[in-house]
C-alpha cells in the first residue's frame, strides 16, 4: 500500500507541473479544423497588456490555452493508428482564406467560343483513336501515325462525277488541306488581335506601323520596278542596293529554267567556250618577248654564222622637221576650191 | 552526276589548254562517240555518253567513279588536275620534257625536275608552260610546269629546278585513297 500511495503521489506531483487540459473561456472559440484554425473572440485584458511585466506572460498563457482548446477539439475527431503514430482525420475546411494576388482577368472568348455559348454547343471529349472501317483498324484522329494511315487509306482517289478527269486529285486534296491550315492560323491571329484590342483591317495584309530598313528597302525595290518599263529608266541613289529575296516579286527576278541540253548542244556550247579561251588575244609579255629574242639570238650564235659587217650605211643627222616624213617633190596645194574648214589641207597659213 | 556550269567548264578548259593547247577540241569532238565532262562531289569525270547512260541505273551514293577522273575543284574554286588525266594529256601534249633514267625515280617520288635530270626538252618551251614529263623511252611519268624557258635551261647550273612537279604516276601508290 505504501508503494501505491507513493506512486500516486509522484504521479500527482508530476501532473502538477503541467496545466490542466480544461480551459475556461467566457465565449467559446470558433473552430475550423480543416485549416487547423481557432478564432478567439473573447475580450483581451487591456490592463495586463499595458503593464510591461505581465504582458509577455499573458500572451503566452493565452496562446497556450487556445492551442490546448484546439488540440482538445482535434482529439475529439476520429483517430486511427498508422505506424505508431496517432492520426486524426480532418474535415473539409470551411474558413475562406483571402487571396494573396488579385483574381486573374477572364480571357475573352474566341469567336467560336462565343457562338458556341450562345447556341449551347458543348465540347465533347473524343477518344484519341477512332475505328476506321476501310482500314479495319484503330487509327489516331490526329498526330503521330495519322498521316501514314491517311496515305494508306487514300492510295486511290476517285474522280468526282462531273470533275475534270485530268485534274490531280491528290494535289487538290493537299491544297484544300493547306488552305484550311492557313485559314485556321488566320482566325487564331484574328482572335489574338481581338483579345488584345488591336485594330486590324478586315481584308488584305497586316501593315506594320514602322517599317525597318530592310522592309523599306524591299518596298523601294518593288516600287522602282513597278513602272511600265519595269524600272529600266529608274535612277539609282548612291550606295543604293537592290533588296534581296524579292526575286519572285519582280518580273526580272523570276528565273526561267532551261531544259537540260542535248549531247549535241552541250558539245557545241563546250566548243564555244573553248574557242573563247583559245582566241583570247595574248597580252604583250615583255619577258616572253625578250626570252624569244634571246632564244633566236642564241640559235644564231650556235650556228656560228655571226656576220661581222654592220648592216647598211647610216644616215647622218636623221630625220628632222615637219615636212621630213614624206617627200613627193611637189609643193602642197590648196583646197582646189572646196572649202573644208575642219580638215587641214594645203599650205600652212600664217 | 551533273553538268558543269559554264564558269566551271571555262576553268577546266583553261587548265587543260595549258597542257594540250588547242587539242582540247579533240577531247570533245571525238569520232568514236560523244564524250562529255560530268561533275560529282566537285570531281570532274570524262565519260562516254554510253557509259553515262548505264551509270544512271546506279544510285548516286553507291557510285564511286564513272569514266576517267580528270581532277577536282578545290574549295577556293580552282581546278586541280589529277594524275588520272595523264592518259588523255600525254598523247596530245605540245610541250614535253624527257628525263634521264637516273632522275626518273626522284620525279616519281614527287620531287621537282632538276637541270641535271633533264634529258630533252621541247624547243620554244616558255616559262610556266604546262609540260608532260616522259622517260627517255617515251613513257609518260606525269606532268608539271616549266620553271625556265628551253633557252634558259641550257645555261643554268645543274642543281636548279627546270620543271615544277605537279603530278606523277607514283601518286597511284602514294595517294591511292585521295585519287577518287
Amino acid at each position: 500500500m505504501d508503494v501505491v500511495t507513493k506512486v500516486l503521489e509522484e504521479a500527482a506531483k508530476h501532473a502538477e507541473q503541467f496545466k490542466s487540459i480544461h480551459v475556461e473561456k467566457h465565449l467559446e472559440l470558433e473552430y475550423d479544423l480543416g485549416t487547423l484554425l481557432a478564432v478567439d473572440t473573447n475580450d483581451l485584458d487591456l490592463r495586463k497588456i499595458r503593464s510591461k511585466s505581465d504582458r509577455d506572460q499573458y500572451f503566452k498563457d493565452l496562446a497556450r490555452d487556445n492551442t490546448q482548446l484546439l488540440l482538445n477539439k482535434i482529439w475529439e475527431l476520429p483517430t486511427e493508428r498508422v505506424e505508431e503514430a496517432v492520426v486524426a482525420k480532418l474535415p473539409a475546411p470551411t474558413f475562406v482564406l483571402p487571396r494573396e494576388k488579385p483574381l486573374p482577368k477572364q480571357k475573352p472568348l474566341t469567336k467560336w467560343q462565343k457562338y458556341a455559348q450562345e447556341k449551347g454547343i458543348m465540347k465533347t471529349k473524343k477518344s484519341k483513336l477512332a475505328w476506321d472501317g476501310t482500314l479495319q483498324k484503330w487509327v489516331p484522329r490526329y498526330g503521330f501515325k495519322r498521316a501514314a494511315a491517311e496515305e494508306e487509306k487514300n492510295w486511290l482517289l476517285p474522280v468526282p462525277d462531273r470533275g475534270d478527269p485530268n485534274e490531280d486529285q491528290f494535289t487538290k486534296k493537299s491544297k484544300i488541306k493547306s488552305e484550311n491550315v492557313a485559314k485556321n492560323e488566320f482566325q487564331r491571329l484574328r482572335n489574338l488581335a481581338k483579345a488584345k484590342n488591336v485594330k486590324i483591317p478586315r481584308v488584305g495584309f497586316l501593315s506594320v506601323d514602322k517599317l525597318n530598313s530592310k522592309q523599306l528597302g524591299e518596298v523601294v525595290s518593288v516600287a522602282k520596278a513597278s513602272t511600265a518599263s519595269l524600272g529600266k529608266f529608274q535612277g539609282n541613289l548612291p550606295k543604293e542596293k537592290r533588296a534581296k529575296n524579292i526575286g519572285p516579286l519582280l518580273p526580272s527576278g523570276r528565273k526561267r529554267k532551261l531544259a537540260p541540253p542535248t549531247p549535241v548542244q552541250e558539245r557545241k556550247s563546250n566548243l564555244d567556250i573553248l574557242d573563247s579561251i583559245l582566241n583570247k588575244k595574248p597580252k604583250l609579255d615583255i619577258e616572253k618577248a625578250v626570252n624569244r629574242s634571246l632564244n633566236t639570238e642564241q640559235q644564231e650564235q650556235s650556228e656560228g654564222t655571226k656576220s661581222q659587217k654592220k648592216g647598211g650605211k647610216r644616215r647622218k643627222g636623221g630625220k628632222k622637221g615637219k615636212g621630213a616624213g614624206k617627200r613627193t617633190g611637189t609643193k602642197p596645194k590648196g583646197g582646189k576650191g572646196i572649202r573644208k574648214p575642219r580638215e587641214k589641207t594645203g599650205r600652212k597659213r600664217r | 552526276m551533273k553538268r558543269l556550269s559554264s564558269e566551271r567548264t571555262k576553268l577546266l578548259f583553261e587548265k587543260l589548254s595549258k597542257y594540250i593547247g588547242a587539242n582540247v577540241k579533240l577531247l570533245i569532238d571525238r569520232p568514236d562517240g560523244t564524250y562529255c565532262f560530268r561533275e560529282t562531289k566537285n570531281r570532274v569525270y570524262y565519260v562516254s555518253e554510253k557509259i553515262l547512260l548505264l551509270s544512271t541505273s546506279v544510285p548516286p551514293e553507291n557510285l564511286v567513279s564513272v569514266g576517267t577522273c580528270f581532277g577536282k575543284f578545290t574549295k577556293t574554286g580552282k581546278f586541280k588536275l589529277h594524275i588520272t588525266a595523264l592518259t588523255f594529256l600525254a598523247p596530245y601534249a605540245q610541250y614535253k620534257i624527257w628525263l634521264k633514267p637516273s632522275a626518273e625515280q626522284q620525279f616519281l617520288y614527287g620531287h621537282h625536275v632538276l637541270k641535271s635530270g633533264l634529258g630533252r626538252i621541247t624547243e620554244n618551251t616558255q616559262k610556266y608552260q604546262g609540260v608532260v614529263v616522259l622517260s627517255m623511252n617515251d613513257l609518260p611519268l606525269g606532268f608539271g610546269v616549266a620553271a625556265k624557258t628551253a633557252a634558259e635551261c641550257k645555261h643554268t647550273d645543274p642543281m636548279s629546278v627546270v620543271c615544277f612537279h605537279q603530278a606523277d604516276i607514283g601518286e597511284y601508290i602514294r595517294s591511292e585513297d585521295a585519287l577518287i
Side-chain angles (χ1 to χ4, degrees):
Chain A
M1 285 305 279
D2 211 28
V3 177
V4 173
T5 49
K6 207 176 181 180
V7 167
L8 283 173
E9 257 174 37
E10 260 182 26
K13 225 181 212 174
H14 190 251
E16 261 175 34
Q17 288 176 3
F18 302 106
K19 287 181 180 169
S20 158
I21 62 162
H22 298 288
V23 180
E24 290 293 323
K25 282 275 177 183
H26 182 66
L27 286 172
E28 254 202 46
L29 300 190
E30 290 169 15
Y31 300 99
D32 178 26
L33 291 179
T35 49
L36 297 179
L37 176 79
V39 180
D40 190 357
T41 47
N42 288 303
D43 284 344
L44 295 169
D45 195 342
L46 284 177
R47 198 174 51 80
K48 277 186 178 172
I49 288 172
R50 273 171 194 156
S51 77
K52 270 188 179 173
S53 52
D54 293 344
R55 189 196 293 154
D56 284 359
Q57 193 55 47
Y58 173 70
F59 279 133
K60 269 183 190 168
D61 286 343
L62 194 66
R64 182 258 153 202
D65 288 349
N66 285 342
T67 315
Q68 181 65 60
L69 282 170
L70 180 64
L71 285 170
N72 288 351
K73 275 282 174 197
I74 289 166
W75 276 109
E76 283 169 21
L77 292 170
T79 56
E80 51 181 304
R81 201 168 258 281
V82 178
E83 289 175 5
E84 308 276 313
V86 183
V87 176
K89 203 168 186 189
L90 297 178
T94 52
F95 189 81
V96 183
L97 281 166
R99 270 181 78 91
E100 184 199 8
K101 294 216 164 88
L103 272 173
K105 274 176 198 162
Q106 216 162 24
K107 271 187 185 172
L109 296 174
T110 63
K111 214 170 175 184
W112 163 253
Q113 280 170 342
K114 213 170 163 188
Y115 177 77
Q117 216 174 35
E118 279 169 17
K119 292 279 176 185
I121 299 167
M122 299 292 277
K123 206 174 179 180
T124 48
K125 180 110 180 157
K126 284 181 197 164
S127 62
K128 178 95 201 277
L129 293 170
W131 178 254
D132 195 306
T134 50
L135 288 178
Q136 289 294 309
K137 65 177 175 186
W138 290 93
V139 163
R141 283 182 203 275
Y142 57 87
F144 182 53
K145 282 183 175 174
R146 167 70 190 187
E150 195 87 331
E151 208 172 306
E152 196 183 341
K153 192 176 160 188
N154 295 329
W155 60 277
L156 185 74
L157 286 176
V159 177
D161 275 347
R162 282 172 193 171
D164 177 14
N166 293 326
E167 196 182 21
D168 188 358
Q169 298 298 319
F170 290 97
T171 51
K172 192 180 163 190
K173 203 173 175 212
S174 66
K175 200 181 165 193
I176 288 169
K177 167 120 188 172
S178 65
E179 269 171 14
N180 256 333
V181 169
K183 189 188 159 200
N184 256 330
E185 179 66 13
F186 174 72
Q187 285 178 340
R188 186 182 74 83
L189 291 174
R190 198 175 56 189
N191 277 328
L192 263 179
K194 210 173 182 183
K196 298 222 161 159
N197 247 339
V198 181
K199 275 197 174 176
I200 48 161
R202 288 187 58 156
V203 286
F205 292 106
L206 299 175
S207 68
V208 190
D209 290 349
K210 266 188 178 177
L211 296 170
N212 60 27
S213 63
K214 200 180 161 195
Q215 286 165 325
L216 277 172
E218 282 171 12
V219 170
V220 167
S221 299
V222 172
K224 273 179 81 177
S226 310
T227 61
S229 49
L230 304 178
K232 198 180 175 186
F233 303 107
Q234 242 56 28
N236 272 349
L237 288 171
K239 285 186 182 176
E240 190 185 333
K241 278 180 187 171
R242 214 184 84 167
K244 284 175 184 171
N245 302 329
I246 51 160
L249 290 173
L250 303 180
S252 58
R254 281 170 217 140
K255 270 191 182 172
R256 211 154 49 105
K257 273 203 171 176
L258 293 168
T262 59
V264 180
Q265 283 174 333
E266 196 188 342
R267 198 176 65 184
K268 199 182 164 288
S269 70
N270 276 352
L271 285 174
D272 285 345
I273 290 170
L274 191 60
D275 279 338
S276 74
I277 291 167
L278 294 174
N279 294 341
K280 253 187 208 166
K281 274 190 181 171
K283 270 192 236 164
L284 181 67
D285 192 346
I286 292 171
E287 201 186 353
K288 211 172 175 180
V290 167
N291 280 330
R292 187 166 284 176
S293 70
L294 215 85
N295 192 25
T296 51
E297 210 170 86
Q298 279 171 357
Q299 274 179 342
E300 280 171 13
Q301 273 182 0
S302 61
E303 279 166 18
T305 54
K306 196 183 166 191
S307 58
Q308 293 291 326
K309 282 178 188 173
K310 281 181 182 172
K313 271 186 187 174
R314 260 192 203 169
R315 226 170 83 186
K316 266 186 185 175
K319 289 175 180 182
K320 269 178 189 173
K322 205 192 167 190
K326 206 178 176 187
R327 279 190 187 158
T328 50
T330 50
K331 264 191 176 178
K333 278 170 184 166
K336 287 174 185 173
I338 307 156
R339 269 195 82 227
K340 287 177 180 167
R342 296 279 166 189
E343 285 178 46
K344 273 185 179 176
T345 51
R347 69 178 176 85
K348 196 172 185 181
R349 290 177 181 84
R350 286 172 215 276
Chain B
M1 282 278 157
K2 59 181 176 191
R3 284 175 179 79
L4 288 161
S5 66
S6 58
E7 291 90 52
R8 288 200 152 183
T9 316
K10 207 176 165 191
L11 278 173
L12 169 69
F13 287 169
E14 270 171 1
K15 183 55 76 94
L16 284 176
S17 62
K18 274 183 188 164
Y19 291 89
I20 56 178
N23 288 343
V24 184
K25 267 183 193 169
L26 300 176
L27 288 179
I28 307 162
D29 247 346
R30 276 173 73 146
D32 57 337
T34 44
Y35 278 71
C36 55
F37 290 99
R38 287 288 181 275
E39 177 195 3
T40 41
K41 293 178 195 161
N42 277 342
R43 267 153 219 276
V44 177
Y45 294 93
Y46 181 58
V47 210
S48 154
E49 201 81 24
K50 268 188 214 161
I51 293 170
L52 192 69
L53 275 175
L54 293 176
S55 77
T56 51
S57 58
V58 181
E61 62 268 23
N62 297 346
L63 198 66
V64 177
S65 168
V66 176
T68 312
C69 180
F70 257 48
K72 68 172 184 184
F73 283 103
T74 60
K75 301 239 161 102
T76 49
K78 290 168 186 139
F79 182 72
K80 195 185 170 202
L81 271 173
H82 280 170
I83 185 62
T84 40
L86 184 68
T87 342
F88 294 95
L89 293 184
Y92 299 120
Q94 290 170 323
Y95 295 94
K96 294 171 187 173
I97 280 181
W98 285 265
L99 295 186
K100 286 177 186 165
S102 58
E104 274 174 27
Q105 201 187 35
Q106 278 298 305
F107 181 72
L108 292 182
Y109 282 169
H111 297 286
H112 298 316
V113 179
L114 301 179
K115 162 80 191 300
S116 56
L118 184 70
R120 275 164 70 196
I121 185 165
T122 316
E123 286 288 329
N124 285 331
T125 306
Q126 299 303 323
K127 205 174 183 182
Y128 307 133
Q129 166 71 45
V131 289
V132 168
V133 180
L134 305 150
S135 69
M136 273 322 234
N137 43 11
D138 276 347
L139 180 78
L141 297 176
F143 48 87
V145 168
K148 291 195 163 62
T149 62
E152 275 177 325
C153 284
K154 283 179 186 170
H155 300 290
T156 50
D157 60 312
M159 289 315 285
S160 65
V161 176
V162 163
C163 169
F164 297 119
H165 165 274
Q166 281 198 329
D168 63 81
I169 51 174
E171 271 174 47
Y172 280 115
I173 294 165
R174 269 187 282 128
S175 47
E176 199 177 0
D177 53 341
L179 275 178
I180 286 177

